[in-house]
Amino acid sequence: MLTDLHKHLLNDFQRDFPLVERPYLEIANRLGVSEDEVLSALAELCDSQLISRVGPIIPPNQIGASMLVAMAVPETELQRVADIISHYPEVNHNYERENRFNLWFVALASTAEHLAKVLDAIERETGYQTQRLPLINDFFIDLGFRLDLTHA
Amino acid sequence: MLDARDFELLTEIQSGLPISPRPYHDIGLALGMSEAEVIERLAVLKQTGLIKRLGVIVKHRALGYRANAMIVWNIPDALVETLGDRISRSSFVTLCYQRPRTSEWPYNLYCMIHGKDRDTVLAQLEQLSVNCGLQAFDREILFSRRCFKQRGALYLPVAPAQSAEYSHG
C-alpha cells in the first residue's frame, strides 16, 4: 500500500529534481514532511522495486552507442535465447512482444564498434539473426510518466 | 561540448544518485569534484540536453502499467517528421522515434503507449490514429508479454572494452 508521500514522490519529482546541496530537504519542505521521511520513503520505493533510481535519463547515443534489436525466435526457443541475451551486461531491456519478431532488446556500449561485436556474438551464440534498428530521430522529449495511483 | 569530467560525472550518476542528505557532495567525493562543481555541471548538462530529465525513474510495470504497446508504422519518408511531431504531442504517448526499415521489417516510425488495460490502450491508439491522420498507413501493434530484463540505461565505461568485468552488470 502506498502512502500519500510515496505517491507524491512517484509523480511529482520525475523531472526537475532539485539541484541544491540538500535536494531531499527541499522536496521535504515542499511536501511538508521531514528530510528523513523523504529519504526513507525513497529507499522503500527502491527496495520494493517501484522505482529503479533517482537519476538521469540520458538520451540514446550521447555518451555511447545504443541499438534497438528485434529477433524472430520460435516460441520453444524463446526462453533459452532470451537468457543468453539478458546475460550480456550491454543489454538493458529485453522483452517478449506479440509479433513474428517476438524478442526485442536494447543494447548499449561505449562505442559503435563494441556494440556491433556484441550483436555479432549474440547472433553466433543464439543462431538467430538480429534486425538492428538504431535511432534516427527522437521526436519525443521524455518529460516523465504521469501515473494514475488512485488504486495503488 | 561533453568534456572528460562531464563524462565521468554521467558515468558515476547513471545508476542513480545516492539517497543521502547530500548526494552531490557524495558524488563529488568519488570523483574528486566539489559539491558546487557537481551541481553546476549537472545544471549545464540538463540545459544542453545531455540529461533529458533528472528525477525519480519509476518502474511502470510494477505500478500496474502492464498493457504496454509499441506501435510501428510504415510512413513515407517525406511525412515522417511531421507525423512524428504530431504523435509526440499526444498526452498518452510516452516515446516516439524514427528508426530505419530493414529488408524484413518495413516500419520506420515507433511510439509507445503504456496503460493498465489493453482496451484502453487500443482506444487511445484509435484516437491517435484519427487525430494524426494515420489510418492509411500500414502498422502493427506489439503488446509486451514477458519482461526478461529491465534496468536503467547503463553506458559502460569507455575502457576496458573486454566483457565480464563490468561492475554495473
Side-chain angles (χ1 to χ4, degrees), chain A residues 57-66 108-110 135 138, chain B residues 1-2 7 10 45 48-52 155:
Chain A
I57 295 285
I58 300 168
N61 306 314
Q62 289 288 0
I63 64 168
S66 140
L108 305 165
S110 50
L135 186 71
D138 177 357
Chain B
M1 66 178 191
L2 184 70
F7 192 87
L10 284 176
L45 288 167
T48 53
L50 287 165
I51 291 177
K52 211 169 188 182
Y155 294 85

Side-chain angles (χ1 to χ4, degrees), chain B residues 132-157:
Chain B
C132 298
L134 300 165
Q135 298 102 316
F137 306 113
D138 283 346
R139 71 163 193 218
E140 292 195 43
I141 306 167
L142 293 83
F143 277 99
S144 57
R145 272 189 195 140
R146 271 176 289 178
C147 172
F148 296 113
K149 185 174 186 180
Q150 163 83 69
R151 62 143 200 248
L154 285 182
Y155 294 85
L156 305 172

Side-chain angles (χ1 to χ4, degrees), chain A residues 13 18 24 49-50 52-55 57 62 86 89 94-96 98-99 131 133 136-138 148, chain B residues 17-18 24 50 52-53 55-57 59 65 98-99 102 116 118 140 145-146 148-151:
Chain A
F13 299 95
Y24 301 106
Q49 300 278 308
L50 296 178
S52 66
R53 64 195 185 278
V54 177
I57 295 285
Q62 289 288 0
S86 295
N94 188 13
Y95 277 85
E96 178 186 6
E98 297 173 2
N99 196 269
Q131 302 294 313
L133 307 164
I136 295 179
N137 212 337
D138 177 357
D148 173 8
Chain B
L17 298 173
Y24 306 119
L50 287 165
K52 211 169 188 182
R53 64 181 167 97
V56 174
I57 313 297
K59 293 194 159 181
Y65 286 77
Q98 182 187 1
R99 298 182 184 277
T102 72
K116 292 187 174 183
R118 182 180 283 250
E140 292 195 43
R145 272 189 195 140
R146 271 176 289 178
F148 296 113
K149 185 174 186 180
Q150 163 83 69
R151 62 143 200 248

Side-chain angles (χ1 to χ4, degrees), chain A:
Chain A
M1 202 59 190
L2 297 175
T3 64
D4 281 349
L5 176 57
H6 288 134
K7 291 181 186 182
H8 278 295
L9 291 172
L10 286 168
N11 249 338
D12 303 348
F13 299 95
Q14 292 186 21
R15 57 193 169 113
D16 298 329
F17 188 78
L19 286 169
V20 296
E21 287 181 11
R22 294 181 68 178
Y24 301 106
L25 178 62
E26 181 166 321
I27 289 172
N29 290 339
R30 280 193 232 163
L31 295 176
V33 297
S34 72
E35 185 184 36
D36 275 345
E37 287 175 280
V38 168
L39 292 169
S40 309
L42 283 171
E44 286 158 18
L45 291 171
C46 275
D47 289 345
S48 53
Q49 300 278 308
L50 296 178
I51 66 176
S52 66
R53 64 195 185 278
V54 177
I57 295 285
I58 300 168
N61 306 314
Q62 289 288 0
I63 64 168
S66 140
M67 186 78 78
L68 177 69
V69 183
M71 293 172 87
V73 180
E75 177 59 35
T76 51
E77 287 271 87
L78 192 58
Q79 185 72 53
R80 180 186 74 84
V81 170
D83 288 345
I84 291 172
I85 291 166
S86 295
H87 189 69
Y88 280 83
E90 289 85 356
V91 170
N92 72 334
H93 289 52
N94 188 13
Y95 277 85
E96 178 186 6
R97 294 191 178 279
E98 297 173 2
N99 196 269
R100 181 170 75 86
F101 284 95
N102 55 351
L103 191 59
W104 291 76
F105 63 93
V106 175
L108 305 165
S110 50
T111 65
E113 294 71 26
H114 180 67
L115 188 58
K117 275 186 197 159
V118 168
L119 298 180
D120 291 346
I122 284 174
E123 288 188 341
R124 276 197 309 275
E125 212 178 319
T126 64
Y128 294 97
Q129 268 198 328
T130 59
Q131 302 294 313
R132 302 181 188 192
L133 307 164
L135 186 71
I136 295 179
N137 212 337
D138 177 357
F139 295 110
F140 194 55
I141 311 278
D142 176 10
L143 295 179
F145 193 91
R146 174 57 36 189
L147 295 160
D148 173 8
L149 296 171
T150 42
H151 302 292

Side-chain angles (χ1 to χ4, degrees), chain B:
Chain B
M1 66 178 191
L2 184 70
D3 71 22
R5 298 292 276 161
D6 287 331
F7 192 87
E8 285 172 11
L9 178 56
L10 284 176
T11 304
E12 182 69 24
I13 69 162
Q14 62 181 335
S15 56
L17 298 173
I19 297 178
S20 61
R22 289 175 65 189
Y24 306 119
H25 170 81
D26 298 346
I27 291 160
L29 278 184
L31 296 174
M33 228 180 251
S34 73
E35 185 177 37
E37 184 181 350
V38 170
I39 291 171
E40 173 62 25
R41 282 183 182 272
L42 289 176
V44 173
L45 288 167
K46 272 189 66 184
Q47 272 168 15
T48 53
L50 287 165
I51 291 177
K52 211 169 188 182
R53 64 181 167 97
L54 180 66
V56 174
I57 313 297
V58 303
K59 293 194 159 181
H60 51 263
R61 277 171 87 93
L63 287 159
Y65 286 77
R66 296 182 158 272
N68 302 318
M70 181 173 80
I71 304 103
V72 295
W73 288 273
N74 182 4
I75 305 278
D77 288 342
L79 290 176
V80 72
E81 186 138 5
T82 308
L83 292 176
D85 281 336
R86 216 180 276 171
I87 289 169
S88 60
R89 269 186 242 122
S90 168
S91 60
F92 42 75
V93 168
T94 41
L95 292 166
C96 184
Y97 296 128
Q98 182 187 1
R99 298 182 184 277
R101 302 176 187 86
T102 72
S103 56
E104 296 193 54
W105 188 247
Y107 304 103
N108 62 339
L109 188 62
Y110 293 62
C111 89
M112 287 286 313
I113 300 177
H114 290 77
K116 292 187 174 183
D117 66 87
R118 182 180 283 250
D119 290 344
T120 306
V121 169
L122 290 173
Q124 288 172 329
L125 174 58
E126 284 326 299
Q127 192 188 328
L128 180 75
S129 189
V130 171
N131 291 350
C132 298
L134 300 165
Q135 298 102 316
F137 306 113
D138 283 346
R139 71 163 193 218
E140 292 195 43
I141 306 167
L142 293 83
F143 277 99
S144 57
R145 272 189 195 140
R146 271 176 289 178
C147 172
F148 296 113
K149 185 174 186 180
Q150 163 83 69
R151 62 143 200 248
L154 285 182
Y155 294 85
L156 305 172
V158 182
Q162 299 306 313
S163 59
E165 287 299 309
Y166 295 126
S167 58
H168 299 298

